[in-house]
Amino acid sequence: MIGRPAPRDDTATHWDARTSSLRKDTSAWSSAGTRNTDPQGRHECRSCGRERTRARASITARLRAQLLEYFPALERAFNYSTSKAALVLLTGYQTPAALRRIGRSRLSTWLANRKVRNAQAVEFTALEAAQAQHTVIPGERTAAAMVRTLAAAVMALDEEIARTDALIEARFREHAHAAAITSMPGMGSLLGAEFIACTGGNLDAIGSSGRLAGIAGLAPVPKDSGRISGNMRQPHRYHRRLLRVFYLSAQVAARCCPTSRAFYERKRSEGKSHKQAILALARRRLDVLWALIRDQRTFTVEPPQRGLAAA
């Protein structure tokens, strides 16, 4: 018996076409990145600051683990990931007995001399933790010396990260698109530098805002099966750091920019979740940023007139 030919699956054909298009877009982005004319600046943006940040997080975790072994009250008292005052405190005093011995007035003066903000609040919190523990743990002196060394290492890394951020910002300000990028609400120098590093600084190779959205994972692709069509999902292959740039900037803009806030609230009123509304806002802002770079102008709340945009 001769079987009849299988019916043509238009859905599968459409899917293959979209998958091929996505692969071409990814290849276009890769070639644009390799043709970057500033590889050294790109290395600064993507490597130096990231490695130092990871090293800081690792050393901070070791510091907290060491402090938890012999002084748990002080470990709970501060957030050592964000509090510079707590790190300054640990470079001088690491044990309950040392904190009780120096007293409130002298500790407050010691902190103030090192330009610690809210020195009195830090002094009160530290001495309160010291009064809660009078037991001396075996090996406390060795552990305290390790905590002092780790606290100094974290502070040194903070200074290196600040210097690296300043270098990245200075290098980014020299780029031709810096003014247009930073004029967008929520796009600072560091996110702008990351955008330049991810795209290679040359949007002509990408071709359109739609292709850039596909590379960033902000353009949904079909998830069709058989007779079911119209389902959309986020692509599996996309540039995650580029998505991070637009997502973080959209989160900031949703709080500080009235136009972005209104768009976000409208999406929430339509039943979208917070994440869906932020992604929709990020997609809209991508189009706006593309237009700003294409027209070589800065962001304004009111849309420009056609004659002025063409000029």
Side-chain angles (χ1 to χ4, degrees), residues 60 68 97 111 124 164 175 243 256 261 265 276 285 287:
T60 303
L68 185 62
L111 292 171
F124 177 81
T164 302
H175 198 275
L243 174 63
C256 66
R261 182 68 183 179
E265 294 292 350
Q276 290 173 328
R285 286 167 51 84
D287 290 335

Side-chain angles (χ1 to χ4, degrees), residues 49-309:
R50 207 181 311 161
E51 290 179 0
R52 287 179 172 85
T53 302
R54 283 197 294 262
R56 186 193 191 281
S58 176
I59 296 175
T60 303
R62 289 175 56 194
L63 183 151
R64 296 187 62 179
Q66 193 74 44
L67 191 60
L68 185 62
E69 292 182 356
Y70 75 93
F71 200 172
L74 189 62
E75 190 275 335
R76 293 191 300 266
F78 298 100
N79 183 357
Y80 297 95
S81 298
T82 58
S83 176
K84 182 179 179 181
L87 296 174
V88 173
L89 174 70
L90 290 179
T91 59
Y93 303 94
Q94 308 86 29
T95 63
L99 288 171
R100 289 194 300 268
R101 188 164 50 248
I102 189 175
R104 293 187 179 277
S105 60
R106 287 194 296 167
L107 180 58
S108 180
T109 303
W110 185 87
L111 292 171
N113 290 338
R114 284 153 182 82
K115 300 180 180 180
V116 172
R117 295 182 180 179
N118 300 322
Q120 292 184 349
V122 175
E123 161 261 314
F124 177 81
T125 303
L127 288 179
E128 191 175 45
Q131 293 296 337
Q133 179 177 333
H134 290 267
T135 303
V136 178
I137 306 298
E140 180 182 272
R141 181 177 300 178
T142 303
M146 180 63 69
V147 166
R148 180 175 63 251
T149 302
L150 292 174
V154 173
M155 294 179 62
L157 275 175
D158 285 339
E159 294 178 0
E160 290 187 19
I161 291 172
R163 287 195 296 267
T164 302
D165 289 347
L167 289 173
I168 292 173
E169 181 175 358
R171 198 64 170 269
F172 169 70
R173 293 292 181 183
E174 298 174 359
H175 198 275
H177 302 325
I181 293 173
T182 54
S183 67
M184 284 279 293
M187 286 288 282
S189 299
L190 295 182
L191 283 180
E194 188 70 23
F195 172 77
I196 294 298
C198 292
T199 59
N202 181 18
L203 299 185
D204 294 336
I206 298 176
S208 67
S209 60
R211 297 185 70 182
L212 179 61
I215 295 169
L218 292 172
V221 297
K223 188 183 180 182
D224 300 338
S225 177
R227 296 181 179 179
I228 301 175
S229 62
N231 292 333
M232 309 295 287
R233 64 164 177 83
Q234 188 180 33
H236 294 301
R237 297 179 59 184
Y238 61 92
H239 197 290
R240 283 165 171 77
R241 297 199 66 82
L242 190 57
L243 174 63
R244 174 182 174 272
V245 169
F246 287 107
Y247 191 87
L248 292 181
S249 64
Q251 282 189 314
V252 175
R255 295 194 302 267
C256 66
C257 176
T259 305
S260 298
R261 182 68 183 179
F263 182 90
Y264 170 82
E265 294 292 350
R266 186 168 79 249
K267 290 299 178 182
R268 291 304 303 271
S269 65
E270 294 174 0
K272 304 293 185 182
S273 65
H274 169 74
K275 181 178 179 180
Q276 290 173 328
I278 291 295
L279 287 173
L281 177 59
R283 176 67 176 89
R284 175 63 63 87
R285 286 167 51 84
L286 184 148
D287 290 335
V288 174
L289 181 58
W290 181 277
L292 294 180
I293 295 175
R294 179 197 61 201
D295 299 338
Q296 298 182 359
R297 61 182 179 85
T298 56
F299 176 82
T300 56
V301 177
E302 297 295 331
Q305 300 178 4
R306 291 184 177 272
L308 294 178

